[in-house]
Amino acid sequence: MALVDSRNMFAAAYKGGFAVGAFNVNNMEITQGIVSAVAEEKAPLILQISRGARKYASMSYLRAIIDVAVAENPDIPIVMHLDHGDTFETCKQCVDDGFTSVMIDASKEPFEKNIEITGKVAEYAHAHNVVVEAELGQLGGIEEDVAGVDVGEVSKHLTDPEQAVEFVKKSGCDSLAIACGTSHGAYKFKSEPKLALDVIEAVAEKLPGFPLVMHGSSSVLAEFKDLINKYGGNMPDAMGVPEEAISRAVKLAVCKVNIDTDLRMALTAKIRQVFAESPKEFDPRKYLGPGREAIKEMVRHKLHVLDCAGRAAECL
Ligand code: G3H
Ligand code: 13P
Ligand code: ZN
């Protein structure tokens, strides 16, 4: 099977009360870890590539790695998605590069401007049979190429359900990333984690059947945080989204759940552990291998949190 777009996946996810995991890829080991988990668990998959990933690995390497994943797993539907496209030009480039789904993130722009930019991307993407994710409201946290608001301020930038209806209607986007209290990165909350599930509910009520996307969904798993801190790292205040909140969100209308930080932390934890326990080791396979395995088991666990294990056939 060739790469697919997310239409069938989201229809099945909405109906079945599960979400598809959207995992960020930057190199071969990360991709292999993710793909081997979904292959064993028979889950649909969205592999997403940020602008930072394009810069780091180059599109031709990433595309070649993903092509192998697709060829080796004919029963698994796989989407290649642009994560946080910032301009029409970036999105156009990715459509032209063969992405089957693109995100235009104009969420920092005023409402009307966000509609205008998203609409332009949707027009181009749809003409090439590519689907479009947009974003309304603002998340917290700052990644390499993704700007956000201060983590303490996220509750002031949640998605307005009334605006969401107008936005979807006027922009023509196929799915919508909403701000519901999450942030990007490993420091999502300053104290008690709190998700605005009522915002998801309110948007879903006003846009029945329409797929919503949750960004900033890493949980900052204790297992990896503890290993990182034990073996020379310094992330004591890292805090993520509780997994039970994610499981509740996917029963509402959240059909895509974005995870990057948990991948980064799994890889980093295992590499730190090998370096600390085997200081004489210098063969990259001896630390990247355990890192890849940690990613695989972490992703396998997430597929159950999202209830998308065993759902590949439903999404075809
Ligand atoms: O939301 C952002 C993703 O985690 C990608 O981050 O821009 O550092 O690749 P990046
Ligand atoms: P995390 O930083 O929580 O993994 O979020 C990733 C994300 O939203 C990518 O778009
Ligand atoms: Zn994101």
Side-chain angles (χ1 to χ4, degrees):
M1 194 200 316
L3 282 169
V4 298
D5 67 48
S6 50
R7 275 176 279 214
N8 288 352
M9 284 183 192
F10 289 169
Y14 203 98
K15 193 162 155 242
F18 67 93
V20 183
F23 298 98
N24 286 71
V25 291
N26 288 276
N27 70 5
M28 182 186 77
E29 282 80 3
I30 295 172
T31 314
Q32 287 176 326
I34 297 164
V35 171
S36 53
V38 300
E40 285 182 19
E41 295 293 328
K42 308 223 171 314
L45 174 63
I46 298 173
L47 289 173
Q48 51 187 15
I49 296 173
S50 68
R51 284 182 299 129
R54 282 171 68 93
K55 262 189 267 168
Y56 172 76
S58 92
M59 204 45 230
S60 41
Y61 273 88
L62 291 174
R63 179 65 208 246
I65 292 167
I66 290 173
D67 280 345
V68 175
V70 170
E72 287 188 348
N73 296 285
D75 300 335
I76 302 295
I78 301 179
V79 171
M80 185 167 78
H81 173 76
L82 167 67
D83 191 26
H84 293 282
D86 59 335
T87 61
F88 170 78
E89 287 71 26
T90 305
C91 294
K92 178 180 182 300
Q93 183 64 56
C94 289
V95 169
D96 296 346
D97 283 348
F99 281 64
T100 51
S101 172
V102 294
M103 176 188 190
I104 173 69
D105 177 1
S107 59
K108 63 180 184 309
E109 301 290 348
F111 183 65
E112 293 298 340
K113 187 79 183 163
N114 189 354
I115 291 176
E116 183 193 320
I117 298 170
T118 302
K120 193 173 167 195
V121 171
E123 196 182 339
Y124 186 80
H126 291 163
H128 294 79
N129 210 20
V130 170
V131 293
V132 176
E133 174 185 328
E135 179 167 323
L136 184 65
Q138 281 186 276
L139 272 75
I142 296 184
E143 298 295 279
E144 187 175 294
D145 282 313
V146 181
V149 298
D150 185 274
V151 165
E153 303 275 293
V154 285
S155 60
K156 296 185 191 153
H157 300 269
L158 301 179
T159 304
D160 175 334
E162 291 291 346
Q163 276 197 336
V165 178
E166 187 183 344
F167 183 86
V168 166
K169 199 166 136 219
K170 289 188 174 164
S171 71
C173 64
D174 303 284
S175 62
L176 185 66
I178 55 164
C180 59
T182 63
S183 299
H184 290 110
Y187 303 91
K188 300 185 188 300
F189 303 97
K190 293 200 162 150
S191 53
E192 193 63 18
K194 206 169 172 329
L195 271 207
L197 290 169
D198 56 320
V199 168
I200 304 176
E201 255 164 0
V203 176
E205 206 173 300
K206 292 193 181 297
L207 287 169
F210 193 80
L212 305 181
V213 178
M214 204 161 93
H215 282 242
S217 307
S218 283
S219 300
V220 183
L221 297 157
E223 176 192 351
F224 300 121
K225 179 176 149 176
D226 293 348
L227 276 181
I228 288 171
N229 288 328
K230 178 174 174 191
Y231 292 116
N234 185 12
M235 304 181 71
D237 302 326
M239 203 187 292
V241 182
E243 287 183 337
E244 59 272 18
I246 294 176
S247 292
R248 279 165 62 198
V250 309
K251 292 273 168 271
L252 300 170
V254 171
C255 297
K256 172 174 179 272
V257 167
N258 284 17
I259 295 174
D260 188 0
T261 295
D262 283 339
L263 298 165
R264 296 176 180 196
M265 288 183 70
L267 185 60
T268 301
K270 280 295 156 183
I271 290 175
R272 280 194 178 280
Q273 185 175 20
V274 174
F275 283 173
E277 290 177 349
S278 311
K280 293 201 170 129
E281 195 52 73
F282 65 96
D283 177 346
R285 295 170 296 191
K286 296 292 187 325
Y287 51 87
L288 292 175
R292 178 174 62 187
E293 192 56 27
I295 284 177
K296 177 179 176 181
E297 292 312 318
M298 189 280 287
V299 170
R300 188 199 297 285
H301 164 73
K302 291 290 173 184
L303 298 175
H304 290 278
V305 172
L306 304 179
D307 197 15
C308 79
R311 306 282 198 165
E314 282 171 54
C315 298
L316 295 172

